[in-house]
Amino acid sequence: MRRTQLRIALLALPVVLVGGVLMAPAGAEPATPASTHDAGPSNADNPELVRIQLTGADMLDEVVAAGFDIEHGLKRVPNGIEGEAVVTAEQVAELEAMGVEILGDDESFAWSDEADGGIEALGAQAAQSFSHEQTVRIARADWFTTKGQGFLYVEARTTSGQQTNPIVTMQLENDLGAGTSFGSTRTMSRFVDSGQYMFHRNLFKLDTRPNQIRVTSSTGGVATGFVSNWLEDAAPPLTANPAYKWDFVDGYKHPQQLYSRAEEIARQYPGIAQIVYLPYETNGYQRKAQATIGGTGQAAVVVSSAAWGHEGGNDITVEFVNRPGADLPLAVEVNGTAVRVLLAKNASGALASTAAQVAAALKTQSGGLIDRAHPYRTNAGTGVVQASAPVALTDFLDQKRVGAPDGEVPRGPATIPVLRIGKHRDGRNPGVLIQAQDHAREWVPATTTLETAERLVHNYKSDKETKKIVDNTDIFLVLSNNPDGANYSFYNFASQRRNLTNHCADDNADPARRNSWGVDLNRNYRVGSGHDGYSGGSTSCISDTFQGPEKLSEPESKNIVWLVEKYRNIKFMMSVHSNGGQLFWQPGAYIANGRITTPRPPLRDELFYWQSAARILSQVKAHRETVVTPENVGGSSDVLYSSAGNVREDMYHTYGIYAFGWEVGGSIYNPATGNWQGGSFQPAWVGNPELVSGHAETMEYANGIMEMFRIAAEWGKDNKKPTSQLVPGGGKYSGPVDVRFESSEPATIYYTTDGSRPTFDSPRYAATEFREPGQVFHVTETTTFHWFSVDTAGNIEQNYDPSKNDTRNNYRKATITIAK
């Protein structure tokens, strides 16, 4: 496959005086998600889909903790975060009371396509030369086309961006090709998150590709930069080969189908595939049988069986009995699975048992049939219980959702199989872990992962590119990491996000809360956890981002840790989600107060992520011109929001694994309307092939995963030494000069300026600011640089050995001589 050779400009780490840089490096839901806030499963009070705006991560946490499901349709906008919620009128009022803004049909944020008009004032200012003193920096200037329409995305930062009195504004101009003048002034949007200035940016339509842009701030700073192409003009995907076999998946698959096919593949192709069974069983697609008897007031009693519903709990009945007579004590009779509560009566013959008393009697006198009994939610249970006919307890899992697949779901704990594919499964090759469906309602990630497995085994003998992948990588495919939740999504509640483990105490344990139980598995890991104060994970057991009672509390997250600890050759990881249309990596979480992120990757890894993303997303685009835009690529806490305790953070910081998160689906440009059309968690499998459809998303994102395999295979075979240089280089200069490093590929550069040998303990060349290239060295006096570079595969420039006093001293050297 043809690859574009990238020349990486590493502009980083302050020395002497530090400043800015000028240029960027090249480079249908079956059931609408319903609010889980205080609503029974039917949510029957005429819920509506509304667009909402939140002020930032703090408000997002607050709203999600209150039980509202808004973890979809989210996008970062200048003044916070926009999202969607399906809510009743009563819930709308509650959101508004929390400070959430309900948006009208035309109030959602959209990039402006209109120029601001005259540019006479701007035209009088000349662009500043490249300098460490620059107050405006252009981080990205990207051009791409989709469905026949061109777009320019620009991201810039001003050193005065935090200023609010007055707020600093920035204006953008572009030319219409080399040699043309700047024009079409636009005001860029200022983005703030958790009170911290992030950047100004814009995405707008253009019919002609510009060559350069100019950004001017209201404080007088000016920067110019060249426009790069976003996404390679990539070679066609493997699917373009007429002999290549693809398009294997014919519809959405529930976990039993996914696991069965994985095991069948291992049997059919034993030379290149096997099953690894994960050791920690899930809680299971099972629930205790329950009933709430007596309404929801102070006289209501919530009853739960000791046995799982399918193991006898569903056979239990509970009856509250009013006996004739007076001065009768409270008692409980058990006959088989029939429980009769004989209510107490006072001296005048009136019923006298309170809900709290009945609950206590059931727990101690039901012969072990009743596990939990308590007043309804936060009630004290002071109301007098009234007689009732026998009420049958149920686990509510015997009611199949209309349109769900046929077939019974096995009850009880599940063992998750991992499909391992590779010719050499002995640790010699780099491992790639693909983890799908942490979130149950996200069905496309599972079909995408299965499609890649089918392509690997069916094309191994007939396609040389596939053979290279299978021969040179060790692939681990978790087709569904949340089988319990996924089954619940297929059969009971389409919008289920979490697993089925119920950690709720009595105040949230009644059956009307059943669609709100479970742990968000992608908040249950150890690094940047909500348990350590990071934003994006909830302590509420009914929140859709419930982080669990402790780190790694869930078997599903323990399994992933077990897998990467057992197979230490795993060097790449992709956690596949939907439907945001993003590709991201670290940092994934921050402490909201001060927006303190988890450690950012060093510049080498950041550039490797960007380079890999460009390759992966170019292969997605090659299928039907779906473009994941640059604004949706990068550190997830920068492009979206903070997600405390996510798996990517743990994999990268604990094990050094290049860990991506992928939100497949998302917005697609619709040329018929001129707008970007959003996606959904469960789009119609066969829909408009140019817009939203499960089939199309499965195929295009399988292309991207296949490209990730190629990246890993090439990484494993990489023995080429990187090269680097100081730009503009050593020599004599008449005055102070700005210099920077460039490298032939993503690499860490270790350097010294005091004449000593560079080692791994020397300063590392770093980034100016997040989502920017590196900084410049402003050299004011004669300085000698010693340095060497190390690429992501560990190759060291010029075969230099920094660990010992090598007499060759074959590190790189350059002296900047400043004339006095």
Side-chain angles (χ1 to χ4, degrees), residues 1 460 463-473 713:
M1 302 288 285
Y460 175 65
D463 180 77
K464 64 179 182 180
E465 287 294 327
T466 304
K467 190 174 191 305
K468 287 180 184 178
I469 290 172
V470 176
D471 286 350
N472 295 299
T473 59

Side-chain angles (χ1 to χ4, degrees), residues 564-606:
V564 298
E565 289 188 346
K566 180 175 179 63
Y567 300 101
R568 292 296 183 132
N569 63 318
I570 294 176
K571 301 299 181 184
F572 295 86
M573 187 262 190
M574 179 84 79
S575 180
V576 191
H577 293 260
S578 69
N579 64 325
Q582 290 112 7
L583 181 59
F584 41 65
W585 47 85
Q586 306 75 42
Y590 56 77
I591 297 171
N593 184 13
R595 203 175 185 278
I596 303 169
T597 70
T598 51
R600 292 183 178 275
L603 186 59
R604 177 193 69 177
D605 290 356
E606 179 81 5

